[in-house]
Amino acid sequence: MRQVRVVVSVPADTPADADVYLAGSMASVGNWTPDGAKLTRQADGSYAADIDLEVGQVFAFKFTRGTWETVERRADDSDRENRTTTIGTAMTRIDANVERWAAGPPARARTVVGTLRLHTIESAALKASRTIRVWLPPGYDADSNGRYAVLYMHDGQNCFDRATSAFGNEWEIDETLAKLIDARAAPPLIVVGIDHGGAARIDEYTFVADPRRGGGAGERHAAFLLGEVMPLVEKTYRVRTGRAHTLLGGSSLGGLSSLEIARRHGDVFGGVMAVSPSLWWADESLTAAVESDPKAFAGTRVWLDTGTREEPGNAGQQHVVRTRRLDAALTARGIAHRLVVAEGAEHSEPAWAKRFPDALTYLLGSE
């Protein structure tokens, strides 16, 4: 047996006094009884418990609120297939994210434009299951010879579909690209949205531990992206490989993670899109690293932006100050980049959606 900590983030509409349970295929969780193992609510709103699981066995499981009538479902209210993972001798944690509960509020309507294909990766690097969402450009299936550049985006739940987004808003990447490609304002390209790990998001999107907030497991996420996501995409889809055709982006902590990965793996990414990045993390450790790293972003174009209303009052202006400090560090290193300070823009998907076309155009080198 192996004691594994199971951590699950839950939908925002989950009552604060709700009970959450782990149901699954092992005796320690009741052999598929809906209230097999009770999880405890944590300070951050997630639920967790330490569970004894059988090493070497495939563990199938779902989360419930105590009955099968309240089992977890997909964000569009469709059935969620069983989660599965193999319990290894070194496994210490399983992270998951519940998109919605059965019998919850009405599902948000899907807003996907074009072709969006979903894949589930049982990640060895993360020791958890992750979804990736692959958006294909118009005409992809009709042109069997065409090959395409790829943009990898963090927080994939929020990229294409209001039904899966955290706050009911999305980047509208699919709508925007469909229009840009049709107008020949951007070449056809593939976009891969990589879902975050819910309660594990802070750990996975930060490379340096913050003394007040923890984190610092970014190398595992980078290994997942480079060693598992990209090989799957390159094997399954007709992509143009090489750094000139490979871009990476994200917002908030996803923007910070994008910068860190591109800085550390400059031979992989030709451009990085850092939208409202959380540069405050660990006392601006990213900016300090750029200032001391002569190889940072060598040959990589950087889009860097922030809004003036990322937070209320003076706190919003501090985002601008930090972003300008990174801009100065990039300038001192001679790194090709563009800084945009968006007047009145907030820290939200609608604000990021407005800046996405210019960011993409810059990274593609078409201006």
Side-chain angles (χ1 to χ4, degrees):
M1 301 291 285
R2 175 79 181 175
Q3 189 174 81
V4 177
R5 187 159 185 82
V6 178
V7 182
V8 59
S9 58
V10 297
D13 57 38
T14 304
D17 60 352
D19 292 328
V20 174
Y21 297 85
L22 175 65
S25 60
M26 292 187 181
S28 57
V29 294
N31 286 324
W32 284 118
T33 56
D35 56 351
K38 187 175 181 179
L39 282 65
T40 302
R41 185 177 175 88
Q42 308 297 296
D44 63 0
S46 64
Y47 286 75
D50 296 317
I51 309 292
D52 290 328
L53 300 172
E54 299 174 46
V55 172
Q57 300 299 307
V58 175
F59 178 44
F61 61 100
K62 283 184 175 178
F63 298 94
T64 81
R65 288 175 56 187
T67 68
W68 291 124
E69 288 71 31
T70 56
V71 70
E72 62 173 318
R73 294 177 68 79
R74 291 289 188 187
D76 61 3
D77 206 27
S78 60
D79 288 339
R80 201 216 187 280
E81 66 278 9
N82 292 338
R83 302 172 184 270
T84 60
T85 189
T86 301
I87 308 303
T89 56
M91 178 178 285
T92 59
R93 182 168 167 139
I94 295 173
D95 292 286
N97 176 55
V98 171
E99 296 177 356
R100 68 179 270 108
W101 300 111
R108 295 194 294 262
R110 298 198 68 204
T111 59
V112 175
V113 171
T115 301
L116 186 67
R117 296 180 183 170
L118 273 60
H119 300 266
T120 299
I121 297 178
E122 299 298 334
S123 171
L126 300 178
K127 297 181 174 59
S129 175
R130 288 288 185 277
T131 298
I132 66 169
R133 304 167 190 271
V134 182
W135 186 83
L136 300 175
Y140 177 89
D141 289 325
D143 181 5
S144 60
N145 296 316
R147 292 193 170 273
Y148 305 89
V150 185
L151 167 63
Y152 293 91
M153 288 292 296
H154 286 92
D155 295 313
Q157 297 99 320
N158 303 333
C159 290
F160 311 104
D161 192 354
R162 284 201 186 104
T164 61
S165 63
F167 305 107
N169 292 307
E170 48 147 326
W171 279 67
E172 300 180 4
I173 288 175
D174 45 341
E175 291 91 343
T176 299
L177 273 178
K179 293 176 183 177
L180 291 176
I181 293 169
D182 182 64
R184 300 183 184 276
L189 76 155
I190 294 171
V191 182
V192 179
I194 306 164
D195 281 17
H196 65 69
R201 181 176 182 268
I202 290 177
D203 273 350
E204 294 175 4
Y205 281 10
T206 57
F207 282 75
V208 177
D210 185 292
R212 296 177 297 279
R213 302 173 182 85
E219 287 290 1
R220 293 188 312 187
H221 172 66
F224 167 60
L225 169 62
L226 299 171
E228 298 178 312
V229 175
M230 292 180 64
L232 173 65
V233 171
E234 292 172 2
K235 177 181 178 181
T236 308
Y237 299 97
R238 299 191 309 275
V239 306
R240 300 180 71 182
T241 57
R243 68 186 305 231
H245 312 295
T246 309
L247 309 175
L248 179 64
S251 61
S252 195
L253 282 177
L256 178 69
S257 178
S258 298
L259 287 167
E260 283 280 25
I261 293 172
R263 180 178 73 84
R264 296 161 186 255
H265 301 278
D267 58 327
V268 177
F269 300 100
V272 58
M273 183 186 300
V275 179
S276 298
S278 299
L279 299 176
W280 50 265
W281 181 265
D283 297 323
E284 299 181 64
S285 60
L286 183 277
T287 299
V290 172
E291 290 172 340
S292 62
D293 180 3
K295 297 182 180 179
F297 304 112
T300 301
R301 300 184 108 192
V302 178
W303 170 277
L304 176 65
D305 72 29
T306 190
T308 60
R309 294 181 58 199
E310 299 275 338
E311 291 185 46
N314 188 55
Q317 292 304 311
Q318 287 304 307
H319 280 270
V320 177
V321 171
R322 295 186 191 99
T323 304
R324 290 196 183 281
R325 274 200 284 264
L326 178 56
D327 168 59
L330 295 172
T331 300
R333 289 289 180 199
I335 296 164
H337 72 288
R338 172 167 293 181
L339 169 67
V340 170
V341 176
E343 186 65 36
E346 299 178 342
H347 196 81
S348 68
E349 282 79 14
W352 303 331
K354 289 180 181 178
R355 304 203 289 271
F356 175 76
D358 288 341
L360 181 66
T361 300
Y362 173 73
L363 293 184
L364 291 173
S366 45
E367 64 169 56

